[in-house]
Amino acid sequence: MSSDLSRLYQEVILEHSRRPRNSGTLKEVTGEASGNNPLCGDRITIYLNIDAHRIADAAFEARGCAISVASASMMTQRLKGQTVGDAEDTLSRYHAQLTDEDPPELDPDDELASLVGVREFPARIKCATLPWETLRAALLGAKDDVTTE
């Protein structure tokens, strides 16, 4: 990855961390889940409003590191308007990008690509994937908190 691209990606993460999109709760919640990463101290709650198998709205409340907050911010932006099936596909593709030995490629213009750099820091992968694992729990209606440990 070029140093210019690395700088851009760092700027995207910092921007989403400083000014997270969709931070807060929703007036109408049809899916919700909480998760935590005890190693880093990240805590997150995902709120979904699903209408006719489409994610009408998504929000989150988080206390954690810049990577976790940025990941949640980008994720909720991506989810709005997607069908539940599309959201599950996005979740799987993104998770594979961070964890698979031979990951699928992401479009370099996709903001989610900015988080791929965490692959170089295995302990930080859990920070980036926590919002997504919590999303999976919200989509499945899981009652137990998600944990990275």
Side-chain angles (χ1 to χ4, degrees):
M1 183 181 316
S2 76
S3 64
D4 288 342
L5 195 54
S6 291
R7 270 196 306 280
L8 170 64
Y9 284 170
Q10 289 173 355
E11 288 174 23
V12 170
I13 290 169
L14 290 174
E15 171 61 23
H16 275 274
S17 174
R18 290 182 188 130
R19 292 177 198 83
R21 282 60 160 185
N22 308 305
S23 179
T25 60
L26 300 175
K27 289 182 180 183
E28 186 176 339
V29 176
T30 59
E32 177 180 343
S34 295
N36 73 79
N37 175 358
L39 186 63
C40 190
D42 300 325
R43 297 200 57 77
I44 187 163
T45 301
I46 302 293
Y47 304 100
L48 301 174
N49 179 343
I50 301 172
D51 183 26
H53 302 288
R54 185 167 301 281
I55 299 173
D57 206 355
F60 72 97
E61 292 181 310
R63 185 181 72 231
C65 70
I67 292 170
S68 181
V69 172
S71 181
S73 176
M74 288 183 239
M75 178 190 75
T76 54
Q77 278 193 296
R78 173 63 59 86
L79 292 176
K80 289 182 177 186
Q82 283 193 345
T83 65
V84 170
D86 288 343
E88 290 168 343
D89 289 345
T90 300
L91 186 157
S92 294
R93 202 170 48 256
Y94 174 72
H95 196 272
Q97 184 64 42
L98 292 179
T99 61
D100 284 6
E101 203 169 300
D102 188 24
E105 297 230 2
L106 288 175
D107 180 345
D109 292 331
D110 183 345
E111 282 189 323
L112 291 174
S114 65
L115 294 163
V116 171
V118 301
R119 286 179 63 94
E120 296 174 31
F121 307 94
R124 302 313 298 254
I125 291 172
K126 292 178 179 183
C127 302
T129 58
L130 177 64
W132 296 84
E133 293 303 322
T134 307
L135 166 65
R136 183 185 321 272
L139 291 171
L140 294 172
K143 301 297 178 203
D144 295 331
D145 280 3
V146 172
T147 183
T148 58
E149 297 304 314

